[in-house]
């Protein structure tokens, strides 16, 4: 009982302090609240809803032959639609988001939102709708650029941040049209940076995701993830379907690299080294051996670098440079290579035909 009595005054004192400081805290909360309101007002006009009507094929018929579909219709006493009946074969529509990239009507979104689209309709925040066409897309990064037909002259262009300045723990605000609910805003934090090797429904060669706990749902794809200043720091792309508060956004610096190429050429051209099966050091050790122990055994001071597990492709730049199986690629033009994904990113950013120094 003595211990309990000693804690009662402390608890009462804490309650009194909290009550006394409530008036001081309220203005701070009000200021923070107003900041989020201003962000919504500032960014929403640059966010668009995108509906893409897909080509109708046997693979995306309106009534797919899923397991148990016949029993479903039978249970409710509804006749099973005939997929060969033209009346039951409507073109599927994909819904997503995007943000206005420039005053000429270019819009950034995800490739999976507009991939295979027959027609694309863009709806602005003011409710006006415009047709759009795909300018270019890159399935390796899931980035696409579309362009509005006859865009208005007063488009609100989004302000872009720098991904390199993002810090774990800072505020993150997601905007878009989750489940078709346009103009939605949710906020959370940047939970982590540099997420890769995610198991996603689509295959992405390049993954360097921002992880956030801001609410992201189906339909947010292509919408912006912004900082407290309303600048876009990423593009909402994926969620963990079985996890909670696990959303992922493409860093805006990757968009800055890809979008200009898509606008200029309709595609992305990347550098090619020609090494097979490159891995991080931790992925090649077995048993009780650690990556640090392996690195020490082969004379390396740390576990950085990309391990060449499969050798060089014949007649490739890698073979001509003398790169062989079991080499560890540590630097490119003096820049450290953190791991396999970092090597891919650095080489892909190079122009074909460029001469580089590899250590």
């Amino acid at each position: 009982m003595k211990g309990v009595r000693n804690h009662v005054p402390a608890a009462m004192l804490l309650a009194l302090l909290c009550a006394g400081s409530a008036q001081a805290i309220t203005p701070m909360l009000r200021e923070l609240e107003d900041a989020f309101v201003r962000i919504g007002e500032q960014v929403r006009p640059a966010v668009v809803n995108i509906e893409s009507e897909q080509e109708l094929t046997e693979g995306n018929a309106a009534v797919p032959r899923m397991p148990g579909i016949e029993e479903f219709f039978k249970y409710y006493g509804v006749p099973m639609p005939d997929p060969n009946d033209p009346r039951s074969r409507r073109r599927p529509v994909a819904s997503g988001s995007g943000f206005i990239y420039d005053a000429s009507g270019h819009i950034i979104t995800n490739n999976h939102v507009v991939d295979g689209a027959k027609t694309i309709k863009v709806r602005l925040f003011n409710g006006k709708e415009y047709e759009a066409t795909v300018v270019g897309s890159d399935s390796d990064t899931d980035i696409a650029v579309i362009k509005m037909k006859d865009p208005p002259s007063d488009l609100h262009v989004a302000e872009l941040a720098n991904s390199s300045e993002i810090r774990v723990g800072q505020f993150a605000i997601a905007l878009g049209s989750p489940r078709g609910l346009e103009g939605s805003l949710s906020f959370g934090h940047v939970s982590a940076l540099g997420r890769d090797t995610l198991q996603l429904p689509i295959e992405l060669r390049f993954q360097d995701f921002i992880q956030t706990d801001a609410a992201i749902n189906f339909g947010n794809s292509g919408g912006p993830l912004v900082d407290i200043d309303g600048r876009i720091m990423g593009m909402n792309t994926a969620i963990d379907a079985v996890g909670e508060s696990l959303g992922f956004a493409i860093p805006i610096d990757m968009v800055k690299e890809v979008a200009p190429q898509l606008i200029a050429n309709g595609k992305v051209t990347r550098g090619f080294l020609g090494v097979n099966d490159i891995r991080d050091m931790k992925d090649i050790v077995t048993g009780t051996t650690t990556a640090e122990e392996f690195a020490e055994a082969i004379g390396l001071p740390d576990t950085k670098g990309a391990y060449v597990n499969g050798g060089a492709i014949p007649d490739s730049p890698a073979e001509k440079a003398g790169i062989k199986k079991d080499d560890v690629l540590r630097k490119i033009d003096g820049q450290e290579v953190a791991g396999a994904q970092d090597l891919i990113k650095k080489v892909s950013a190079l122009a074909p035909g460029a001469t580089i120094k590899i250590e």
Side-chain angles (χ1 to χ4, degrees):
M1 291 299 293
K2 182 178 180 182
V4 174
R5 283 197 301 270
N6 288 342
H7 282 85
V8 170
M12 293 176 62
L13 179 61
L14 179 61
L16 290 171
L17 287 173
C18 290
S21 61
Q23 291 183 338
I25 292 175
T26 298
M28 296 171 57
L29 294 177
R30 184 79 64 190
E31 185 176 346
L32 182 61
E33 181 182 68
D34 289 343
F36 285 119
V37 172
R38 287 195 300 271
I39 290 169
E41 294 172 345
Q42 173 185 338
V43 182
R44 276 196 188 99
V47 182
V48 304
N49 174 264
I50 299 172
E51 290 187 356
S52 60
E53 190 178 59
Q54 309 293 302
E55 284 283 6
L56 186 61
T57 65
E58 290 299 324
N60 60 19
V63 187
R65 295 291 178 172
M66 297 182 294
I69 191 69
E70 289 86 355
E71 288 76 10
F72 175 84
F73 279 94
K74 187 183 296 183
Y75 178 83
Y76 285 100
V78 179
M80 178 73 181
D82 181 2
N84 296 315
D85 186 343
R87 292 174 299 178
S88 68
R89 291 176 59 78
R90 298 178 181 175
R91 291 190 177 93
V93 175
S95 179
S97 308
F99 56 90
I100 299 170
Y101 181 69
D102 59 29
S104 61
H106 288 107
I107 292 169
I108 307 294
T109 187
N110 284 132
N111 177 63
H112 74 258
V113 172
V114 297
D115 186 32
K118 181 178 177 63
T119 61
I120 300 173
K121 182 171 63 178
V122 170
R123 186 162 49 252
L124 302 184
F125 182 61
N126 59 15
K128 294 183 179 180
E129 296 183 349
Y130 298 85
E131 292 183 4
T133 56
V134 176
V135 173
S137 60
D138 180 43
S139 59
D140 286 339
T141 57
D142 198 22
I143 297 172
V145 177
I146 63 176
K147 190 174 189 301
M148 302 165 60
K149 295 181 180 178
D150 302 318
S153 58
D154 58 347
L155 285 175
H156 186 94
V157 178
E159 182 181 356
L160 308 183
N162 296 312
S163 304
S164 58
E165 299 174 357
I166 300 174
R167 296 169 298 164
V168 174
Q170 73 177 71
F171 282 123
I173 300 95
L175 294 97
S177 304
R179 297 292 185 180
L181 301 173
E182 297 178 40
S184 296
L185 178 151
S186 64
F187 81 93
H189 304 84
V190 172
S191 305
L193 298 171
R195 293 300 194 201
D196 56 15
T197 65
L198 299 179
Q199 300 300 313
L200 302 174
I202 54 175
E203 282 193 24
L204 295 182
R205 185 182 175 197
F206 302 99
Q207 295 189 26
D208 185 24
F209 287 109
I210 302 166
Q211 180 183 325
T212 180
D213 59 1
I216 295 176
N217 292 282
F218 294 106
N220 271 118
S221 290
L225 185 73
V226 306
D227 60 20
I228 199 71
D229 295 313
R231 302 176 305 161
I232 298 179
M233 58 183 178
M235 177 168 61
N236 304 321
T237 298
I239 60 173
D240 187 323
V242 296
E244 294 183 4
S245 301
L246 287 175
F248 301 95
I250 296 171
I252 199 63
D253 285 359
M254 186 179 291
V255 175
K256 290 178 181 179
E257 292 175 5
V258 171
Q261 292 192 58
L262 295 179
I263 293 173
N265 307 311
K267 62 180 182 179
V268 179
T269 303
R270 295 185 169 93
F272 170 73
L273 184 59
V275 285
N276 275 320
D277 191 15
I278 55 171
R279 303 187 185 186
D280 292 340
M281 205 80 74
K282 62 181 176 61
D283 295 330
I284 61 172
V285 296
T286 57
T288 59
T289 304
T290 66
E292 288 75 14
E293 290 171 340
F294 180 81
E296 184 179 359
I298 61 176
L300 295 178
D302 52 51
T303 60
K304 294 179 181 178
Y307 186 88
V308 182
N309 194 54
I313 296 173
D315 201 33
S316 67
E319 185 185 60
K320 294 174 182 177
I323 296 174
K324 297 180 175 62
K325 176 178 168 53
D326 298 324
D327 280 345
V328 180
L329 309 185
R330 299 272 294 177
K331 291 183 180 180
I332 292 182
D333 280 343
Q335 293 186 342
E336 284 191 347
V337 174
Q341 283 295 320
D342 191 38
L343 176 71
I344 293 173
K345 185 167 64 174
K346 281 181 167 61
V347 171
S348 298
L350 297 168
T355 299
I356 59 172
K357 179 182 179 181
I358 293 183
E359 298 177 29

